Amino acid sequence: YRGADCGLRSCENDCSGNGQCEPSGECRCAPGWFSVDCALPSCFRHCSSHGTCVHSTPRWLDHNLAMQALCLCDIGWRGVGCEVAICPAGSGDTNRVPIECSGHG
């Protein structure tokens, strides 16, 4: 409990510094964060429903860096938030390189 008269419920992990503790004891996460204690970064555009949000803690010079959220895009999609559709290469394309779809077919 918290507050001058201990009448307010405490939030889990004090919302990890990434949100506001509501009187009910639930965290209201700031944009870009989620989970019961606002500890997990959210993925850009929630991966546009075309991928999976994964969380990783990269390392640099034997030190853990801040946790980050990355979209692993489904086949046929790319972009930071899996928002760009990729069309298969045309039948006349000898390089067989996927191209961005124009949205017209």
Side-chain angles (χ1 to χ4, degrees):
Y1 286 88
R2 62 188 172 88
D5 64 352
C6 297
L8 300 174
R9 293 181 149 217
S10 295
C11 288
E12 190 169 335
N13 294 327
D14 200 23
C15 301
S16 304
N18 299 316
Q20 182 174 348
C21 187
E22 296 292 317
S24 64
E26 294 181 15
C27 291
R28 182 175 43 160
C29 299
W33 298 93
F34 79 103
S35 80
V36 68
D37 63 350
C38 304
L40 297 175
S42 57
C43 282
F44 182 70
R45 295 187 181 175
H46 302 286
C47 301
S48 304
S49 299
H50 301 294
T52 303
C53 185
V54 296
H55 297 92
S56 67
T57 305
R59 293 184 56 83
W60 184 71
L61 297 176
D62 292 328
H63 297 299
N64 285 337
L65 302 178
M67 182 182 292
Q68 61 183 353
L70 301 169
C71 289
L72 292 180
C73 299
D74 296 337
I75 294 173
W77 296 91
R78 71 174 186 88
V80 174
C82 303
E83 73 278 12
V84 179
I86 298 296
C87 293
S91 58
D93 184 358
T94 56
N95 293 328
R96 308 300 289 164
V97 177
I99 56 173
E100 289 184 23
C101 295
S102 64
H104 301 290

